[in-house]
Amino acid sequence: GAVEGTPGKLTQVGRIAADLQIDPRWAKMLEVAGTRDLLPQAVEVVAVMSVSSSFLRRSSDPETRQAISAHLQRTASGGDIASMYSLFRQWSQLREDRRLNDANALASTNYIAKRGVAAAASTATDLRRDLMITDKSAKPALSDSQVFDLILSSCFLNLADRVGGGNTCRDAVYRVIPGGGLMEAVDTACIFPGSTVLGLSEPPDLVCFLSLRSTTRVFLHGVTPIDLSLDELLAKVCLWSPAFASDLQRQKDLLVPSKATIDRPLV
């Protein structure tokens, strides 16, 4: 939270958001990264997340859109933000090495929008200046687990769990968990057609996401899959999202009778 108490008093996250003029979610990510000595790298993740809607090229041509979608799905790993962060790191390193032709080729091959990646680079530069970070290269790169932890720390308000649809990511339907802090009143949504997550063999049971997009349907944008089979990861999700923890407990109460019920004599 950016504020606490009544009247609202700025928290550390709130002060970071106000000083840097950034979304409180990005401020939360930077706060968490600072405690783990990962602030230089986290700046790049924040830069990518802040321009996620314009980082990749768009096209009105159906064949081009299909080609972009197919390519992105082949890069599926840790989800949309992790994929964009990886591409941004590669592009930035090529630019630093003055291999401009290679940087342009990377952008073209991976359908990176020139304006989008330039905006991310500008945002990263501004944040480094404001945070007085002198290590521009931000080496070494974050591991997949580190990126995921930072994503979860900033997206903890936006979660959705699978409730139906088909057995593919494209057809899966997700319930937006109440209490997510979203402006829209939405019950269900599907994964955005351009998401890298569509390349997974099975739809994840739980995802966190950046925002909702509405066209003829409502879509989850900026999706990161969450593996609930890992107890440690489940504990982290419950920690970041009290709404999810409460909802999970209600489901357990429905499936597992209480001790009082078990001990009650049958009549």
Side-chain angles (χ1 to χ4, degrees):
V3 296
E4 62 182 358
T6 305
K9 179 182 178 181
L10 284 179
T11 62
Q12 176 67 9
V13 171
R15 287 191 290 273
I16 294 173
D19 290 344
L20 301 179
Q21 295 295 296
I22 59 175
D23 189 303
R25 291 179 296 173
W26 315 156
K28 177 67 176 179
M29 174 180 283
L30 294 176
E31 182 197 39
V32 171
T35 64
R36 302 176 184 177
D37 197 26
L38 297 173
L39 191 57
Q41 297 95 322
V43 161
E44 294 183 331
V45 182
V46 168
V48 168
M49 295 175 78
S50 66
V51 299
S52 62
S53 62
S54 59
F55 186 82
L56 298 173
R57 280 164 43 195
R58 296 182 182 182
S59 175
S60 58
D61 178 58
E63 291 187 3
T64 302
R65 288 203 307 267
Q66 185 175 0
I68 293 174
S69 179
H71 176 78
L72 292 175
Q73 291 167 34
R74 289 194 294 271
T75 67
S77 54
D80 298 334
I81 304 304
S83 295
M84 286 189 286
Y85 166 72
S86 176
L87 289 172
F88 180 70
R89 284 280 309 188
Q90 295 174 57
W91 179 86
S92 298
Q93 189 60 58
L94 291 172
R95 298 277 295 186
E96 286 180 29
D97 295 342
R98 299 187 182 278
R99 296 167 56 187
L100 301 185
N101 289 337
D102 290 338
N104 291 335
L106 176 76
S108 177
T109 301
N110 292 279
Y111 300 98
I112 299 173
K114 291 183 179 179
R115 289 185 178 181
V117 73
S122 177
T123 297
T125 298
D126 291 344
L127 288 174
R128 290 191 191 99
R129 180 197 63 225
D130 294 341
L131 293 169
M132 294 182 288
I133 297 173
T134 57
D135 184 8
K136 181 180 178 181
S137 60
K139 298 177 180 178
L142 295 173
S143 67
D144 288 345
S145 61
Q146 289 172 321
V147 173
F148 181 82
D149 279 345
L150 292 178
I151 290 172
L152 193 58
S153 72
S154 65
C155 295
F156 67 100
L157 289 178
N158 296 338
L159 292 170
D161 57 353
R162 186 161 66 100
V163 293
N167 295 322
T168 66
C169 293
R170 187 178 300 277
D171 298 326
V173 176
Y174 287 82
R175 177 181 64 107
V176 177
I177 296 175
L182 297 168
M183 297 300 293
E184 302 96 329
V186 174
D187 293 324
T188 60
C190 298
I191 295 176
F192 188 67
S195 173
T196 63
V197 176
L198 296 182
L200 298 177
S201 58
E202 296 180 358
D205 290 327
L206 182 72
V207 299
C208 62
F209 62 96
L210 283 179
S211 59
L212 295 171
R213 283 190 179 181
S214 299
T215 54
T216 55
R217 304 167 67 184
V218 180
F219 294 102
L220 308 174
H221 183 256
V223 177
T224 297
I226 300 175
D227 185 358
L228 288 181
S229 66
L230 303 177
D231 290 340
E232 180 182 358
L233 189 51
L234 179 59
K236 287 182 180 180
V237 175
C238 290
L239 174 64
W240 288 122
S241 176
F244 173 75
S246 176
D247 188 67
L248 185 65
Q249 186 59 53
R250 284 196 298 270
Q251 293 182 43
K252 287 184 176 180
D253 290 343
L254 291 174
L255 294 174
V256 181
S258 66
K259 186 177 186 300
T261 303
I262 296 174
D263 292 342
R264 186 181 303 125
L266 298 175
V267 293

